[in-house]
Amino acid sequence: MSVALHLSSSRSLTRMRLKRAATPAEAPLTDEQKRLIRDSYRKIEPAIDLVAQVFFRKLFALDSSLRAKFSGPIEVQVRKFEAAMKLTMITLSQDDELKPTLKLLGVRHRQLGIRTRHYRMMAKALIWTLDQSLEKSFTRETRAAWTALLDKITRTLA
Ligand code: HEM
């Protein structure tokens, strides 16, 4: 085999490996997905207290054992939900810079007994809440964008 042929076939092998490594779940969010997420968050932000209460009701309906993990009055939980949502929005523009903070937050969550299955449950409850809150404007593309974002955060936190 000539060197040129050898090089070109090994390059295409590398391309194939890179292609396989970038599965849809690991692909970075596109600018359009980030826009859809920001736009939808802007719509629910004025009613964030209500959205948080709907979210917790759904989360506890999906897994009542989680209720015990959230101590303190609902107002405190609502503020923490808001903080979590704001942090999630910030990750859209400052991905790498936030990694150490997210890792630390992940440690805190692990200490609280939060495991990967709980993140999946949270994602399910949040997607359901967004669907209920945004109705028609929660399009298939917006849902896919939020799902991708929550998958990404779960991989860092869990
Ligand atoms: C997108 C993923 C998440 C983000 C960004 C996030 C963010 C946060 C933040 C900022 C806090 C406050 C930190 C503190 O009090 O030290 C917090 C606390 C907490 N989070 Fe999360 N969280 C996420 C997912 C989850 C999930 C999936 C669960 C469980 C279902 C969970 C359960 C808790 C609990 C139990 C607390 C403490 C509440 C308390 O003090 O009573 N979090 N989270």
Side-chain angles (χ1 to χ4, degrees):
M1 190 192 289
S2 74
V3 174
L5 184 59
H6 181 76
L7 273 178
S8 79
S9 60
S10 69
R11 250 191 237 125
S12 61
L13 261 181
T14 310
R15 259 202 306 275
M16 276 168 65
R17 263 188 226 115
L18 283 176
K19 253 189 192 163
R20 212 173 298 143
T23 61
E26 291 161 17
L29 270 75
T30 64
D31 287 347
E32 175 60 6
Q33 285 181 313
K34 290 180 182 178
R35 190 188 64 76
L36 289 170
I37 293 166
R38 285 195 188 102
D39 280 1
S40 50
Y41 181 66
R42 226 170 272 137
K43 286 192 186 114
I44 58 161
E45 206 177 6
I48 199 73
D49 284 28
L50 184 62
V51 171
Q53 289 180 38
V54 172
F55 163 78
F56 279 116
R57 204 170 300 159
K58 183 65 179 175
L59 185 67
F60 299 152
L62 287 172
D63 183 347
S64 60
S65 75
L66 280 174
R67 201 181 280 269
K69 300 216 181 282
F70 292 88
S71 54
I74 185 72
E75 300 80 53
V76 176
Q77 301 311 330
V78 165
R79 292 282 76 83
K80 288 195 176 179
F81 174 83
E82 195 179 3
M85 289 299 278
K86 283 199 168 132
L87 184 64
T88 302
M89 289 306 113
I90 298 170
T91 65
L92 289 177
S93 49
Q94 297 174 18
D95 204 8
D96 287 346
E97 297 93 319
L98 266 188
K99 274 241 162 88
T101 309
L102 288 180
K103 289 277 176 208
L104 217 59
L105 193 61
V107 171
R108 163 120 172 91
H109 280 77
R110 257 193 303 282
Q111 287 167 348
L112 291 165
I114 311 300
R115 301 288 176 261
T116 303
R117 66 176 184 284
H118 300 126
Y119 287 99
R120 303 262 170 259
M121 204 66 84
M122 180 273 298
K124 205 170 168 183
L126 187 59
I127 295 287
W128 184 88
T129 305
L130 290 169
D131 191 18
Q132 296 293 306
S133 312
L134 294 162
E135 299 183 337
K136 277 194 185 133
S137 69
F138 196 56
T139 61
R140 206 149 37 100
E141 292 75 21
T142 310
R143 174 191 294 262
W146 274 95
T147 304
L149 173 64
L150 295 171
D151 270 4
K152 197 164 143 39
I153 295 180
T154 297
R155 277 198 301 276
T156 311
L157 285 180

